[in-house]
Amino acid sequence: MQGQDGERDRHGARNGGDRSPGTPDEMPAEASAETSAGAPTGTPAEVPAGAPEGTSAGAPAGTPAEVPGTPLATPGPEPRRGRPRSAAAERAILDAVIALLEAGEPLAGLSIERIARTAGVGKATIYRRWSDKEELFVDVVRDMEPDDPPISGTEGLADLRVMLESLRTRGLAQRSSALLHNIFAQMKSHPKLWNEYHGTVIAPRRLAMVEAVRRAVAAGELRDDLDVELIDDLFVGPMLVRTVHRPDAPLPDDLADRIITALLQGLAPAARV
């Protein structure tokens, strides 16, 4: 779905990952304390009787004593505090949700415990990435949808065309995937999940479209006497009707170009000479 109907890291899936399944969450921190020979940690070593003033224990006469608080040895590297995050574990979690949905499990019936068991990971591995099921399910949907294409961020109409084409390809993906279509249908009946998807996916896509309209207006590609959000709606509306409200309507390869051309030329008949 596009900015108005519907932005991953993903996300696709999110970047990073977690530990491999079945491994401890944290590796014990390795640390060692420098101690005097035969002395408990933190116990000052004794200075031999008769040694000159300022002599350290075990040091030749005349050797200055260590300044209090100065470490006796150069500290080693910072202890490793945990295993690196595993992309394989994240992939297993996303695949587990998809497999359960393909098996007929409803979104509302999936629990973190069931997903973790199916993925072969601990619940903590899931919660390190996603705070709740809704956040996880949004990433599952984004993983199943075509990736958002890169845009220049400096062009106007050119970026609008790229984003309209992306909306068309997502519409095609929903038509060709019964599972994806079913997931969207279920999402809309779960307000918390739909709000999460809207806030993290749809809203950013819509904002990107509106910003592209602003750039087009500033570049003189579009008229500057209309509200930019209205202009945005005029571009996106026809594509949303075709992809969402008319599932039987054709989605030809040149649809984005046709929409842009029609809007730029206007709908009024050409003036007769």
Side-chain angles (χ1 to χ4, degrees):
M1 302 182 72
Q2 166 67 13
Q4 290 66 16
D5 168 59
E7 151 191 351
R8 148 116 210 199
D9 46 316
R10 119 346 351 8
H11 180 340
R14 294 161 184 250
N15 291 331
D18 211 328
R19 63 182 179 85
S20 303
T23 59
D25 290 347
E26 295 287 339
M27 291 287 290
E30 297 176 1
S32 61
E34 294 288 342
T35 58
S36 301
T41 303
T43 303
E46 295 181 359
V47 178
E53 183 179 357
T55 301
S56 300
T63 302
E66 296 287 346
V67 178
T70 302
L72 297 179
T74 302
E78 185 72 17
R80 184 180 177 182
R81 300 193 179 281
R83 292 181 181 273
R85 294 165 66 88
S86 165
E90 182 167 312
R91 183 70 261 167
I93 294 165
L94 296 173
D95 287 345
V97 176
I98 294 173
L100 290 168
L101 293 171
E102 287 178 334
E105 294 286 344
L107 281 172
L110 294 183
S111 65
I112 294 296
E113 290 82 2
R114 178 80 181 278
I115 295 168
R117 188 165 60 250
T118 303
V121 300
K123 290 192 297 181
T125 301
I126 297 179
Y127 281 120
R128 273 195 297 273
R129 291 173 176 77
W130 299 282
S131 60
D132 52 32
K133 290 195 302 181
E134 287 74 23
E135 192 175 288
L136 168 57
F137 292 159
V138 166
D139 270 2
V140 169
V141 174
R142 297 179 70 176
D143 185 63
M144 296 177 67
E145 286 186 313
D147 291 337
D148 287 333
I151 59 173
S152 71
T154 58
E155 304 266 356
L157 281 178
D159 283 352
L160 279 172
R161 189 206 172 280
V162 171
M163 288 183 277
L164 282 177
E165 172 60 15
S166 178
L167 176 53
R168 186 187 72 88
T169 57
R170 285 197 299 274
L172 287 172
Q174 285 194 46
R175 290 185 183 184
S176 62
S177 171
L179 177 59
L180 190 56
H181 179 80
N182 184 40
I183 290 175
F184 271 103
Q186 292 187 59
M187 284 172 61
K188 291 178 181 178
S189 63
H190 293 82
K192 185 177 179 181
L193 176 54
W194 182 251
N195 289 340
E196 178 73 20
Y197 182 80
H198 188 279
T200 59
V201 180
I202 298 177
R205 285 175 178 164
R206 175 175 172 79
L207 178 60
M209 288 283 291
V210 171
E211 290 303 315
V213 171
R214 293 186 195 279
R215 293 194 295 273
V217 171
E221 296 175 312
L222 298 173
R223 53 191 289 185
D224 61 2
D225 60 337
L226 291 177
D227 177 69
V228 292
E229 296 208 3
L230 174 60
I231 297 176
D232 179 63
D233 290 343
L234 291 173
F235 278 107
V236 178
M239 191 67 81
L240 287 180
V241 169
R242 289 288 186 97
T243 57
V244 178
H245 302 294
R246 293 182 57 199
D248 57 334
L251 296 173
D253 293 345
D254 65 344
L255 183 56
D257 287 322
R258 289 166 57 188
I259 291 172
I260 292 173
T261 299
L263 286 171
L264 293 181
Q265 293 179 352
L267 300 178
R272 296 180 180 178
V273 180

